[in-house]
Amino acid sequence: MCGIVGYASSTQTVCGKPLEVCLQGLGRLEYRGYDSAGVALVAPGMKSVAWRKKSGRLSNLVQDIEAQPMPDATAGIGHTRWATNGEPNDVNAHPHISQDGNIGLIHNGIIENAAQLKFDLQAEGYTFASSTDTEVVAKLLGKIANEIVESTGSPDLFKAVRRTARMLTGAFTILAVDVRQPGIVVGARHDSPLVVGLGEGENFLGSDVAAFVAYTKEAMELGQDEAVCISGSQVEVTDFDGNQVTDSKRFTVTWDASAAQKGGWDSYMDKEIHEEPTAVADTLLGRFDANGDLNLDEVRIAPETFRQIDKIIIVACGTASYAGLVAKYAIEHWVRIPVEVELAHEFRYRDPILTPRTLIVAISQSGETMDTLMALRHAREQGSQVLAICNTQGSTIPRESDAVLYTHAGPEIAVASTKAFVAQIVASYLLGLYLAQVKGTMFRDEIHQHVDSLKAMPQKIQQVLDTQTETVARAAKSLVNAKSFLFLGRHVGYPVAMEGALKLKEIAYTFTEGFAAGELKHGPIALVEPGEPIVVIVPSSRGRDLLHNKVISAIEEVKARGAFVIAVAEEGDPDAERYADVVFWRPACPTLMSPLVDVVPLQLFALDMAKDKGLDVDKPRNLAKSVTVE
Ligand code: F6R
């Protein structure tokens, strides 16, 4: 959703860097999804904040600034907007400016009491140009900042932002600059992300580290309901009442700016699918001791506590929830405790049964998904332990969890999640195997066998990428005009079918439905007419023969009704060869490992289909990478 950048340097050096940092940062945050962009700059001697904003792509803003350059500055803020409140146009874009032009403000989130605040301000003579809640905050902040000047004789933006933040309800990150204090940027956050970047003689703020990673890898987390004031030489953090916060956690970003670039690929999605072998290998790295046993000390939950766990509830959304569904099959099988998988936005509204022995596993690539965050907060309030499986350092979900197991997939920029999915499965499997180890539900050599299978997966994923790409591309081309697709799977193939369907609908805008193959005769078979494309995940006959045979029967049933079948099947499967029109081959691997390879051709298929339709695969319409509102 909205992307936020802030930059402050010394007031001695008025230059083009604040604008450069804001535009660079916004470029790196483009992946979050947006519909307009803007910047605000301040420097000593300026009469009012210099600002510019444009609807549409960031390039529109850049062109506008090239045509009419902005002044040099000492501090600046930049914003990409994903409209929640007021349509996407130039007027509603951020920054919004205080009535007297002294203050520029950007915002991510939704201010729930904006209507009342606006009403009060209007009664005092304030006027509004846009239909956004952000303009209300900008005008309110301007008023409060002026009241402080009147009562103390000098401006204090930090105090004004804190006072404003205390009056807001809803979710927000706000950043502001004031022309009367041109050496600082002030921010505040409540239920919305903000991270600090620590530089030399300059400091940064960002919705996530991508905003400033090209300038510094040293970063600092900001807690809930905290405000921050950065200058070139200082970073000061307080709560909204002004009490100093001294224990903010610092961390070093583990990837560099080049990891967030396309690196020669046509699209980020293309690149990220091809990074899956590395994402799996890196997520396994450093998780074993010298004897090959699992060592998850980093998660910060004592083995004793893990031993007490008698139920797991996985909460997540979208792709992450499908990774959770895959994990359910493995963890229940290995640990023999029930695992529920719940969409995070449904979880807290159904009054779930939680005890101190329930482990909540919150899976999230971004670490900022508001639905997942709310679910974990609810679970913690009920006394359950929460473990986050997350890909983003410094993000809110791991910070608010009792423990965290990071996936090491590297930055995922394309809106459609791909490499994070496989890394999430691997991290969940590590958790399952660790639980089996501490609870003693499996023999040590069995656990080692599964670990060996996991370690073999990067090479098998690579094999799929090396051998199946052309078949997938041909299939996508031949089906580019298909109106709808059905995806079928059983056992771990069921969540993979749903993930394949999600990928195709979100980036190729094709109507798709993924469901359990066993459901076919209970309704969906009515949709099958001659030529209907159906993608079927076929389990290995070396696993449970029964499962394999049942899925093959499902293929026969839809073929009998004229369907066009694409099977994802194990190399050499004669039944798949015989019944399917096209087969995407998977190298032999244990059943529980098969999702890690089966999803790959489905991701490539969606990618090719979107490309064949001439769509922007990295930025599908209406979607945001990081869904920071409920
Ligand atoms: C689909 C996709 C989404 C996310 C979901 C959760 O390709 O990307 O379904 O998986 O919004 O996001 P995270 O994992 O960031 O919590």
Side-chain angles (χ1 to χ4, degrees):
M1 300 206 133
C2 304
I4 278 184
V5 195
Y7 173 78
S9 63
S10 154
T11 44
Q12 310 303 316
T13 36
V14 183
C15 61
K17 189 155 182 195
L19 178 63
E20 175 208 300
V21 172
C22 287
L23 293 178
Q24 258 260 11
L26 294 182
R28 287 183 194 283
L29 294 176
E30 272 191 300
Y31 77 93
R32 296 172 77 93
Y34 67 100
D35 44 52
S36 51
V39 288
L41 302 171
V42 287
M46 271 187 192
K47 294 272 176 292
S48 58
V49 171
W51 57 271
R52 202 67 63 77
K53 53 186 183 177
K54 276 273 158 219
S55 62
R57 289 279 153 106
L58 180 59
S59 53
N60 294 358
L61 176 71
V62 173
Q63 276 166 17
D64 190 72
I65 295 173
E66 276 166 5
Q68 244 188 313
M70 292 188 74
D72 286 345
T74 45
I77 52 179
H79 188 263
T80 46
R81 172 170 189 253
W82 190 88
T84 50
N85 200 306
E87 66 177 89
N89 58 26
D90 284 359
V91 178
N92 287 338
H94 301 200
H96 286 274
I97 308 297
S98 61
Q99 191 99 328
D100 57 12
N102 282 332
I103 289 177
L105 177 127
I106 55 178
H107 159 231
N108 175 31
I110 297 177
I111 305 298
E112 286 163 5
N113 59 341
Q116 183 58 48
L117 294 170
K118 185 173 182 175
F119 184 74
D120 296 345
L121 287 165
Q122 277 169 330
E124 292 180 45
Y126 283 83
T127 53
F128 294 86
S130 77
S131 49
T132 65
D133 49 357
T134 308
E135 188 183 3
V136 177
V137 185
K139 299 265 157 89
L140 178 65
L141 176 62
K143 170 178 135 89
I144 292 173
N146 288 346
E147 284 167 0
I148 292 174
V149 175
E150 276 158 31
S151 65
T152 65
S154 54
D156 190 341
L157 182 64
F158 199 11
K159 191 190 256 182
V161 165
R162 286 193 303 252
R163 238 183 235 177
T164 306
R166 289 203 299 267
M167 296 173 68
L168 306 178
T169 58
F172 57 86
T173 296
I174 50 176
L175 289 197
V177 284
D178 186 331
V179 80
R180 292 162 291 193
Q181 290 177 280
I184 60 169
V185 176
V186 176
R189 68 169 291 259
H190 172 79
D191 282 348
S192 177
L194 185 62
V195 220
V196 185
L198 306 165
E200 305 258 326
E202 55 184 6
N203 288 299
F204 308 79
L205 294 168
S207 317
D208 64 59
V209 296
F212 49 73
V213 73
Y215 301 96
T216 180
K217 289 172 131 195
E218 298 310 312
M220 194 172 88
E221 295 179 357
L222 276 186
Q224 173 77 325
D225 293 337
E226 286 181 356
V228 60
C229 177
I230 60 163
S231 65
S233 55
Q234 252 197 324
V235 173
E236 196 185 342
V237 182
T238 67
D239 62 19
F240 287 173
D241 292 322
N243 302 307
Q244 295 286 328
V245 174
T246 50
D247 57 354
S248 306
K249 194 170 159 243
R250 290 179 177 226
F251 62 97
T252 304
V253 182
T254 52
W255 48 273
D256 59 33
S258 63
Q261 278 161 3
K262 278 193 202 150
W265 293 95
D266 279 357
S267 65
Y268 282 111
M269 185 173 172
D270 224 331
K271 174 183 178 240
E272 287 160 9
I273 294 172
H274 286 84
E275 284 172 344
E276 286 178 357
T278 316
V280 169
D282 287 354
T283 301
L284 289 169
L285 221 60
R287 259 89 200 230
F288 308 97
D289 66 16
N291 303 318
D293 294 332
L294 275 135
N295 178 351
L296 296 190
D297 284 354
E298 63 174 285
V299 302
R300 307 187 308 256
I301 293 185
E304 192 43 51
T305 312
F306 269 125
R307 228 164 271 142
Q308 304 297 319
I309 301 296
D310 63 4
K311 183 168 89 172
I312 291 178
I313 305 180
I314 298 177
V315 290
C317 300
T319 292
S321 76
Y322 298 143
L325 264 177
V326 170
K328 171 185 164 76
Y329 288 88
I331 300 176
E332 286 189 338
H333 183 63
W334 292 335
V335 193
R336 309 307 301 153
I337 58 172
V339 179
E340 294 171 17
V341 184
E342 180 105 24
L343 290 170
H345 33 90
E346 289 295 317
F347 175 71
R348 71 190 165 121
Y349 300 107
R350 70 164 174 94
D351 199 10
I353 300 165
L354 301 169
T355 73
R357 297 179 68 183
T358 309
L359 178 69
I360 303 297
V361 178
I363 306 183
S364 174
Q365 187 287 130
S366 63
E368 299 294 352
T369 300
M370 185 54 78
D371 293 315
T372 309
L373 179 62
M374 289 304 179
L376 79 84
R377 281 188 187 160
H378 178 78
R380 291 193 79 198
E381 278 162 15
Q382 308 295 309
S384 292
Q385 302 254 11
V386 176
L387 182 143
I389 291 181
C390 184
N391 198 42
T392 311
Q393 289 172 289
S395 59
T396 310
I397 288 173
R399 204 179 43 246
E400 293 203 16
S401 299
D402 298 286
V404 56
L405 188 57
Y406 279 109
T407 48
H408 295 301
E412 194 179 64
I413 308 292
V415 164
S417 191
T418 53
K419 61 178 178 173
F421 177 73
V422 290
Q424 285 160 350
I425 294 175
V426 171
S428 312
Y429 279 16
L430 287 175
L431 173 67
L433 292 170
Y434 182 68
L435 277 165
Q437 182 178 293
V438 295
K439 279 174 167 282
T441 53
M442 268 201 285
F443 292 115
R444 204 164 157 243
D445 56 349
E446 279 180 280
I447 297 176
H448 285 207
Q449 243 173 38
H450 292 303
V451 168
D452 289 344
S453 302
L454 272 172
K455 287 184 174 165
M457 293 317 288
Q459 186 264 329
K460 290 183 193 288
I461 297 174
Q462 191 58 53
Q463 194 178 326
V464 174
L465 290 167
D466 291 344
T467 61
Q468 301 304 299
T469 306
E470 274 176 32
T471 315
V472 172
R474 266 199 309 275
K477 209 167 234 75
S478 70
L479 292 166
V480 73
N481 293 320
K483 290 276 170 292
S484 65
F485 279 80
L486 301 179
F487 284 69
L488 302 180
R490 266 191 117 106
H491 192 259
V492 284
Y494 165 40
V496 172
M498 291 198 286
E499 173 58 6
L502 176 62
K503 285 291 92 84
L504 195 54
K505 80 176 71 148
E506 70 178 324
I507 66 161
Y509 312 154
T510 308
F511 186 86
T512 60
E513 186 83 62
F515 52 90
E519 275 295 288
L520 194 60
K521 290 198 278 293
H522 301 283
I525 199 162
L527 293 169
V528 180
E529 51 184 41
E532 175 69 23
I534 304 192
V535 181
V536 188
I537 319 298
V538 184
S540 165
S541 57
R542 296 174 306 104
R544 279 185 208 142
D545 208 19
L546 191 68
L547 268 183
H548 172 265
N549 294 346
K550 290 220 153 93
V551 172
I552 293 295
S553 302
I555 295 183
E556 287 183 80
E557 283 158 18
V558 294
K559 279 297 290 177
R561 286 155 182 88
F564 181 89
V565 173
I566 297 178
V568 182
E570 184 171 292
E571 276 166 356
D573 183 333
D575 298 314
E577 182 92 70
R578 174 145 30 110
Y579 295 113
D581 297 281
V582 176
V583 187
F584 301 155
W585 293 113
R586 109 169 57 92
C589 61
T591 300
L592 287 172
M593 302 296 152
S594 60
L596 295 169
V597 274
D598 287 350
V599 77
V600 180
L602 305 187
Q603 295 166 338
L604 289 171
F605 186 67
L607 174 81
D608 288 333
M609 189 75 97
K611 279 190 193 165
D612 290 340
K613 289 183 171 186
L615 301 172
D616 182 342
V617 296
D618 288 334
K619 298 190 197 85
R621 69 182 175 208
N622 306 336
L623 288 173
K625 180 70 181 161
S626 201
V627 184
T628 52
V629 291
E630 272 186 283

